[in-house]
Amino acid sequence: HPRREGGKTTWKLAYELPNEPAPGPGVLELAHSALGMVASCSERKVPVDGVRLQDLVAQAKTRLYGWSLVHEQLNQVEEDREDENDKDDLFLSQLHVLQKESNHLVAHWSAVEMELRGRKAADAAFWFALAGTTDPELFSLLVQVCTKEILRFGERPSCRVKDIMGIVERLAAAGVKDDHADDFLQTVSRCLQAKNENTFINRSNLLNLHSDHSAIILFNFASRQKKQKIFLETAAKHWERDLHLDNEEKSMKQDDIVFCIGPSERWHALFSDPSRPLVVDVGCGMGVSLLGLASFDASKNRNDAMYSDCNFIGVDLSALAIGYARGVAQRWGLSHRLAYLVDRADQLLMDLETYPGPIMRILIQFPTPYKLPSTPDVAGFQGVTTKSQGRNAQLPSSVFDGFMVTPSLLQQCYRLLKTKTDSDSSDPGTLLLQSNCEDVAVYVYNVSCLEAGFKRLPAANPMVEASGETTQRTKNWVAMGGSRAVGQVWSADPLLPSKGRTETEISCILNKTPVHRCILTAGNLLHETNELID
């Protein structure tokens, strides 16, 4: 203490343990390899080798087991030390015995301590989750490391709130739930209270996959921004270099195994009760929306009870995204009513004709847009020309070349919702459309009504005027005379509960980017016409 406070210097015992590197790759390196394997397989369109993935998980758990064992013993030594008068001498003697009896474990513990300092254990958890890892024990061990790290530095003045929340947000994005991390949440809450951060004390919102910050982490990966794309490419090269890939590759047809069996058995292979109403997410990406809807508790909110007794299925061409969604669904205990497939959307819709139960709703949320055409037309586009605005080479060249939401796909949606009706209700299912590109929303709406046969449902709170930070694409669209997504059919409010929003929708809300939403029905409405937006 300073002299003005009366001196009274306080000494604290510091000790060192062997810092010899444990044999084999570290936990973070193993997580990087696991993510690299999945990214490489997704890029090359080959199935993920589950045996190799489990081997990487087993290696990581072995290292963490050794760390956990010694860590618990050291904690016990610390507790015994607090009950004795000659604390330092007792602690040193017990530590010496521990080190002598299990020197290899202590060295192993020391290596893991050093390699997972700070946020690294949370990064490893997130990378393993992206790789589709389903082992809950691995994530439990990594949460223990995160708890220890926050205990080590969380209350220091140099530790910022953003440093603590960086760990929390990555664990949330990894699918770690609050009921599996009680000690971690208590430690985080205590540190945040010490820093007078009352905003974050609500423990129920700390480990939340649908929180703003964890959703942004997923959005960055799902949108393949430049930094994240380079990281995934680096991970893939790391894996391929270590593996020395051979030339024999299987085609990616692992999901076909389910559909090789008879029509009546395939749905029982995916769902425990295939007679339940089904919700379909076309182009589901990371699967965040369905994860929220499938875990919905009707007893807490009756307004959205329609999802509590449904089955859910998502389809996407990204094996990396589907692997992540499947892994979280299995760890959350939702696999009996939530399935994800790597497949084309039109193929899944064709297969759904044999689904035993009714199809309640189809979701088309934030489809990858096409390059903005040069002029609008009566159905959304006026003579779509080869000339287009924008320089994003990754986008489909036009609505007719590479855009997922084709007239044929919308017609398939209409037939399914029209014919697969709940026997207890005469109302056919609905189609929910969302896009942050106004021209895309207008196009899909018009094609749905004019070419597929859908009828519009009036919104509870119609969008009178587009609000928010208008994107450059929308500005270009308006400047060329494109029609607006406003009026009775367009909803100013979100159409899904907050727990069921996608990472893209959350990103749009945070950035104040307008989202254009509507719900269409395959049923017949009295006094309703399919008017073209003009």
Side-chain angles (χ1 to χ4, degrees), residues 381-403:
F381 303 95
Q382 193 129 218
V384 179
T385 63
T386 56
K387 180 181 178 182
S388 59
Q389 300 183 13
R391 297 180 180 180
N392 194 335
Q394 296 180 344
L395 297 181
S397 58
S398 75
V399 293
F400 304 125
D401 186 12
F403 183 49

PDB file of all heavy atoms in Angstrom, residues 381-403:
ATOM      1  N   PHE A 381     -39.123  -6.917 -62.389  1.00  0.00           N
ATOM      2  CA  PHE A 381     -37.998  -6.542 -63.222  1.00  0.00           C
ATOM      3  C   PHE A 381     -38.426  -6.324 -64.648  1.00  0.00           C
ATOM      4  O   PHE A 381     -39.069  -7.150 -65.229  1.00  0.00           O
ATOM      5  CB  PHE A 381     -36.930  -7.613 -63.206  1.00  0.00           C
ATOM      6  CG  PHE A 381     -36.503  -7.845 -61.837  1.00  0.00           C
ATOM      7  CD1 PHE A 381     -37.049  -8.836 -61.096  1.00  0.00           C
ATOM      8  CD2 PHE A 381     -35.646  -6.982 -61.231  1.00  0.00           C
ATOM      9  CE1 PHE A 381     -36.714  -8.996 -59.789  1.00  0.00           C
ATOM     10  CE2 PHE A 381     -35.301  -7.152 -59.918  1.00  0.00           C
ATOM     11  CZ  PHE A 381     -35.828  -8.158 -59.194  1.00  0.00           C
ATOM     12  N   GLN A 382     -38.016  -5.230 -65.156  1.00  0.00           N
ATOM     13  CA  GLN A 382     -38.378  -4.833 -66.501  1.00  0.00           C
ATOM     14  C   GLN A 382     -37.315  -5.307 -67.462  1.00  0.00           C
ATOM     15  O   GLN A 382     -36.282  -4.685 -67.579  1.00  0.00           O
ATOM     16  CB  GLN A 382     -38.478  -3.328 -66.589  1.00  0.00           C
ATOM     17  CG  GLN A 382     -39.136  -2.886 -67.818  1.00  0.00           C
ATOM     18  CD  GLN A 382     -40.230  -1.917 -67.541  1.00  0.00           C
ATOM     19  OE1 GLN A 382     -41.159  -2.046 -68.215  1.00  0.00           O
ATOM     20  NE2 GLN A 382     -40.164  -1.020 -66.630  1.00  0.00           N
ATOM     21  N   GLY A 383     -37.538  -6.408 -68.102  1.00  0.00           N
ATOM     22  CA  GLY A 383     -36.553  -6.909 -69.034  1.00  0.00           C
ATOM     23  C   GLY A 383     -35.202  -7.064 -68.399  1.00  0.00           C
ATOM     24  O   GLY A 383     -34.334  -6.235 -68.575  1.00  0.00           O
ATOM     25  N   VAL A 384     -35.024  -8.087 -67.574  1.00  0.00           N
ATOM     26  CA  VAL A 384     -33.749  -8.266 -66.910  1.00  0.00           C
ATOM     27  C   VAL A 384     -32.675  -8.421 -67.968  1.00  0.00           C
ATOM     28  O   VAL A 384     -32.688  -9.340 -68.765  1.00  0.00           O
ATOM     29  CB  VAL A 384     -33.778  -9.512 -65.996  1.00  0.00           C
ATOM     30  CG1 VAL A 384     -32.442  -9.704 -65.339  1.00  0.00           C
ATOM     31  CG2 VAL A 384     -34.867  -9.363 -64.962  1.00  0.00           C
ATOM     32  N   THR A 385     -31.742  -7.517 -67.965  1.00  0.00           N
ATOM     33  CA  THR A 385     -30.692  -7.522 -68.984  1.00  0.00           C
ATOM     34  C   THR A 385     -29.427  -8.132 -68.419  1.00  0.00           C
ATOM     35  O   THR A 385     -29.303  -8.385 -67.224  1.00  0.00           O
ATOM     36  CB  THR A 385     -30.390  -6.087 -69.439  1.00  0.00           C
ATOM     37  OG1 THR A 385     -29.882  -5.356 -68.319  1.00  0.00           O
ATOM     38  CG2 THR A 385     -31.653  -5.409 -69.944  1.00  0.00           C
ATOM     39  N   THR A 386     -28.479  -8.375 -69.287  1.00  0.00           N
ATOM     40  CA  THR A 386     -27.200  -8.927 -68.845  1.00  0.00           C
ATOM     41  C   THR A 386     -26.394  -7.886 -68.095  1.00  0.00           C
ATOM     42  O   THR A 386     -25.545  -8.212 -67.286  1.00  0.00           O
ATOM     43  CB  THR A 386     -26.390  -9.426 -70.046  1.00  0.00           C
ATOM     44  OG1 THR A 386     -26.231  -8.347 -70.966  1.00  0.00           O
ATOM     45  CG2 THR A 386     -27.085 -10.574 -70.721  1.00  0.00           C
ATOM     46  N   LYS A 387     -26.653  -6.625 -68.355  1.00  0.00           N
ATOM     47  CA  LYS A 387     -25.952  -5.574 -67.648  1.00  0.00           C
ATOM     48  C   LYS A 387     -26.555  -5.437 -66.257  1.00  0.00           C
ATOM     49  O   LYS A 387     -27.752  -5.354 -66.081  1.00  0.00           O
ATOM     50  CB  LYS A 387     -26.092  -4.248 -68.404  1.00  0.00           C
ATOM     51  CG  LYS A 387     -25.385  -3.083 -67.713  1.00  0.00           C
ATOM     52  CD  LYS A 387     -25.592  -1.802 -68.501  1.00  0.00           C
ATOM     53  CE  LYS A 387     -24.927  -0.630 -67.794  1.00  0.00           C
ATOM     54  NZ  LYS A 387     -25.145   0.642 -68.521  1.00  0.00           N
ATOM     55  N   SER A 388     -25.714  -5.408 -65.237  1.00  0.00           N
ATOM     56  CA  SER A 388     -26.207  -5.314 -63.871  1.00  0.00           C
ATOM     57  C   SER A 388     -25.337  -4.380 -63.060  1.00  0.00           C
ATOM     58  O   SER A 388     -24.215  -4.072 -63.442  1.00  0.00           O
ATOM     59  CB  SER A 388     -26.239  -6.695 -63.208  1.00  0.00           C
ATOM     60  OG  SER A 388     -24.938  -7.251 -63.193  1.00  0.00           O
ATOM     61  N   GLN A 389     -25.895  -3.922 -61.939  1.00  0.00           N
ATOM     62  CA  GLN A 389     -25.174  -3.025 -61.072  1.00  0.00           C
ATOM     63  C   GLN A 389     -24.527  -3.813 -59.948  1.00  0.00           C
ATOM     64  O   GLN A 389     -25.009  -4.846 -59.526  1.00  0.00           O
ATOM     65  CB  GLN A 389     -26.117  -1.974 -60.495  1.00  0.00           C
ATOM     66  CG  GLN A 389     -26.779  -1.133 -61.558  1.00  0.00           C
ATOM     67  CD  GLN A 389     -27.638  -0.056 -60.924  1.00  0.00           C
ATOM     68  OE1 GLN A 389     -27.542   0.195 -59.742  1.00  0.00           O
ATOM     69  NE2 GLN A 389     -28.468   0.578 -61.732  1.00  0.00           N
ATOM     70  N   GLY A 390     -23.429  -3.286 -59.438  1.00  0.00           N
ATOM     71  CA  GLY A 390     -22.725  -3.965 -58.355  1.00  0.00           C
ATOM     72  C   GLY A 390     -21.556  -4.770 -58.874  1.00  0.00           C
ATOM     73  O   GLY A 390     -21.504  -5.185 -60.026  1.00  0.00           O
ATOM     74  N   ARG A 391     -20.599  -5.006 -57.986  1.00  0.00           N
ATOM     75  CA  ARG A 391     -19.372  -5.684 -58.389  1.00  0.00           C
ATOM     76  C   ARG A 391     -19.118  -6.974 -57.616  1.00  0.00           C
ATOM     77  O   ARG A 391     -18.032  -7.524 -57.686  1.00  0.00           O
ATOM     78  CB  ARG A 391     -18.180  -4.740 -58.167  1.00  0.00           C
ATOM     79  CG  ARG A 391     -18.240  -3.478 -59.019  1.00  0.00           C
ATOM     80  CD  ARG A 391     -17.024  -2.603 -58.752  1.00  0.00           C
ATOM     81  NE  ARG A 391     -17.064  -1.399 -59.567  1.00  0.00           N
ATOM     82  CZ  ARG A 391     -16.126  -0.456 -59.531  1.00  0.00           C
ATOM     83  NH1 ARG A 391     -15.102  -0.574 -58.702  1.00  0.00           N
ATOM     84  NH2 ARG A 391     -16.230   0.611 -60.294  1.00  0.00           N
ATOM     85  N   ASN A 392     -20.082  -7.438 -56.844  1.00  0.00           N
ATOM     86  CA  ASN A 392     -19.892  -8.644 -56.057  1.00  0.00           C
ATOM     87  C   ASN A 392     -19.954  -9.855 -56.964  1.00  0.00           C
ATOM     88  O   ASN A 392     -21.023 -10.276 -57.413  1.00  0.00           O
ATOM     89  CB  ASN A 392     -20.965  -8.728 -54.968  1.00  0.00           C
ATOM     90  CG  ASN A 392     -20.619  -9.771 -53.932  1.00  0.00           C
ATOM     91  OD1 ASN A 392     -19.888 -10.721 -54.206  1.00  0.00           O
ATOM     92  ND2 ASN A 392     -21.119  -9.585 -52.728  1.00  0.00           N
ATOM     93  N   ALA A 393     -18.792 -10.437 -57.225  1.00  0.00           N
ATOM     94  CA  ALA A 393     -18.711 -11.559 -58.166  1.00  0.00           C
ATOM     95  C   ALA A 393     -19.344 -12.827 -57.614  1.00  0.00           C
ATOM     96  O   ALA A 393     -19.608 -13.759 -58.363  1.00  0.00           O
ATOM     97  CB  ALA A 393     -17.240 -11.817 -58.525  1.00  0.00           C
ATOM     98  N   GLN A 394     -19.583 -12.880 -56.271  1.00  0.00           N
ATOM     99  CA  GLN A 394     -20.141 -14.088 -55.669  1.00  0.00           C
ATOM    100  C   GLN A 394     -21.653 -14.184 -55.869  1.00  0.00           C
ATOM    101  O   GLN A 394     -22.232 -15.244 -55.674  1.00  0.00           O
ATOM    102  CB  GLN A 394     -19.823 -14.114 -54.173  1.00  0.00           C
ATOM    103  CG  GLN A 394     -18.330 -14.213 -53.869  1.00  0.00           C
ATOM    104  CD  GLN A 394     -18.062 -14.231 -52.382  1.00  0.00           C
ATOM    105  OE1 GLN A 394     -18.920 -13.879 -51.577  1.00  0.00           O
ATOM    106  NE2 GLN A 394     -16.870 -14.644 -52.003  1.00  0.00           N
ATOM    107  N   LEU A 395     -22.297 -13.106 -56.240  1.00  0.00           N
ATOM    108  CA  LEU A 395     -23.747 -13.122 -56.390  1.00  0.00           C
ATOM    109  C   LEU A 395     -24.160 -13.762 -57.708  1.00  0.00           C
ATOM    110  O   LEU A 395     -23.454 -13.645 -58.717  1.00  0.00           O
ATOM    111  CB  LEU A 395     -24.292 -11.688 -56.330  1.00  0.00           C
ATOM    112  CG  LEU A 395     -24.094 -10.913 -55.030  1.00  0.00           C
ATOM    113  CD1 LEU A 395     -24.728  -9.537 -55.149  1.00  0.00           C
ATOM    114  CD2 LEU A 395     -24.660 -11.668 -53.848  1.00  0.00           C
ATOM    115  N   PRO A 396     -25.313 -14.440 -57.711  1.00  0.00           N
ATOM    116  CA  PRO A 396     -25.855 -14.924 -58.988  1.00  0.00           C
ATOM    117  C   PRO A 396     -26.016 -13.772 -59.970  1.00  0.00           C
ATOM    118  O   PRO A 396     -26.330 -12.645 -59.577  1.00  0.00           O
ATOM    119  CB  PRO A 396     -27.209 -15.516 -58.588  1.00  0.00           C
ATOM    120  CG  PRO A 396     -27.075 -15.846 -57.141  1.00  0.00           C
ATOM    121  CD  PRO A 396     -26.159 -14.812 -56.568  1.00  0.00           C
ATOM    122  N   SER A 397     -25.822 -14.057 -61.256  1.00  0.00           N
ATOM    123  CA  SER A 397     -25.807 -12.986 -62.250  1.00  0.00           C
ATOM    124  C   SER A 397     -27.185 -12.368 -62.469  1.00  0.00           C
ATOM    125  O   SER A 397     -27.299 -11.205 -62.837  1.00  0.00           O
ATOM    126  CB  SER A 397     -25.264 -13.514 -63.580  1.00  0.00           C
ATOM    127  OG  SER A 397     -26.056 -14.598 -64.046  1.00  0.00           O
ATOM    128  N   SER A 398     -28.275 -13.137 -62.247  1.00  0.00           N
ATOM    129  CA  SER A 398     -29.619 -12.598 -62.432  1.00  0.00           C
ATOM    130  C   SER A 398     -30.627 -13.510 -61.751  1.00  0.00           C
ATOM    131  O   SER A 398     -30.271 -14.569 -61.215  1.00  0.00           O
ATOM    132  CB  SER A 398     -29.958 -12.486 -63.926  1.00  0.00           C
ATOM    133  OG  SER A 398     -30.230 -13.770 -64.470  1.00  0.00           O
ATOM    134  N   VAL A 399     -31.909 -13.118 -61.811  1.00  0.00           N
ATOM    135  CA  VAL A 399     -32.950 -13.958 -61.230  1.00  0.00           C
ATOM    136  C   VAL A 399     -33.106 -15.267 -61.997  1.00  0.00           C
ATOM    137  O   VAL A 399     -33.677 -16.229 -61.482  1.00  0.00           O
ATOM    138  CB  VAL A 399     -34.300 -13.216 -61.217  1.00  0.00           C
ATOM    139  CG1 VAL A 399     -34.250 -12.039 -60.276  1.00  0.00           C
ATOM    140  CG2 VAL A 399     -34.703 -12.767 -62.620  1.00  0.00           C
ATOM    141  N   PHE A 400     -32.606 -15.311 -63.214  1.00  0.00           N
ATOM    142  CA  PHE A 400     -32.750 -16.516 -64.038  1.00  0.00           C
ATOM    143  C   PHE A 400     -31.497 -17.387 -64.012  1.00  0.00           C
ATOM    144  O   PHE A 400     -31.471 -18.443 -64.630  1.00  0.00           O
ATOM    145  CB  PHE A 400     -33.044 -16.122 -65.496  1.00  0.00           C
ATOM    146  CG  PHE A 400     -34.256 -15.246 -65.635  1.00  0.00           C
ATOM    147  CD1 PHE A 400     -34.174 -14.031 -66.270  1.00  0.00           C
ATOM    148  CD2 PHE A 400     -35.484 -15.648 -65.136  1.00  0.00           C
ATOM    149  CE1 PHE A 400     -35.286 -13.213 -66.404  1.00  0.00           C
ATOM    150  CE2 PHE A 400     -36.606 -14.853 -65.262  1.00  0.00           C
ATOM    151  CZ  PHE A 400     -36.510 -13.623 -65.896  1.00  0.00           C
ATOM    152  N   ASP A 401     -30.455 -16.938 -63.347  1.00  0.00           N
ATOM    153  CA  ASP A 401     -29.183 -17.662 -63.405  1.00  0.00           C
ATOM    154  C   ASP A 401     -28.548 -17.717 -62.020  1.00  0.00           C
ATOM    155  O   ASP A 401     -27.799 -16.829 -61.628  1.00  0.00           O
ATOM    156  CB  ASP A 401     -28.237 -16.972 -64.390  1.00  0.00           C
ATOM    157  CG  ASP A 401     -26.947 -17.772 -64.593  1.00  0.00           C
ATOM    158  OD1 ASP A 401     -26.895 -18.928 -64.152  1.00  0.00           O
ATOM    159  OD2 ASP A 401     -26.007 -17.215 -65.183  1.00  0.00           O
ATOM    160  N   GLY A 402     -28.883 -18.756 -61.259  1.00  0.00           N
ATOM    161  CA  GLY A 402     -28.230 -18.984 -59.983  1.00  0.00           C
ATOM    162  C   GLY A 402     -29.010 -18.544 -58.763  1.00  0.00           C
ATOM    163  O   GLY A 402     -28.629 -18.881 -57.629  1.00  0.00           O
ATOM    164  N   PHE A 403     -30.090 -17.781 -58.921  1.00  0.00           N
ATOM    165  CA  PHE A 403     -30.873 -17.352 -57.767  1.00  0.00           C
ATOM    166  C   PHE A 403     -31.705 -18.522 -57.261  1.00  0.00           C
ATOM    167  O   PHE A 403     -32.406 -19.190 -58.027  1.00  0.00           O
ATOM    168  CB  PHE A 403     -31.776 -16.174 -58.148  1.00  0.00           C
ATOM    169  CG  PHE A 403     -32.565 -15.610 -57.006  1.00  0.00           C
ATOM    170  CD1 PHE A 403     -31.951 -15.296 -55.813  1.00  0.00           C
ATOM    171  CD2 PHE A 403     -33.933 -15.392 -57.138  1.00  0.00           C
ATOM    172  CE1 PHE A 403     -32.684 -14.762 -54.749  1.00  0.00           C
ATOM    173  CE2 PHE A 403     -34.671 -14.855 -56.091  1.00  0.00           C
ATOM    174  CZ  PHE A 403     -34.041 -14.544 -54.899  1.00  0.00           C
TER     175      PHE A 403
END
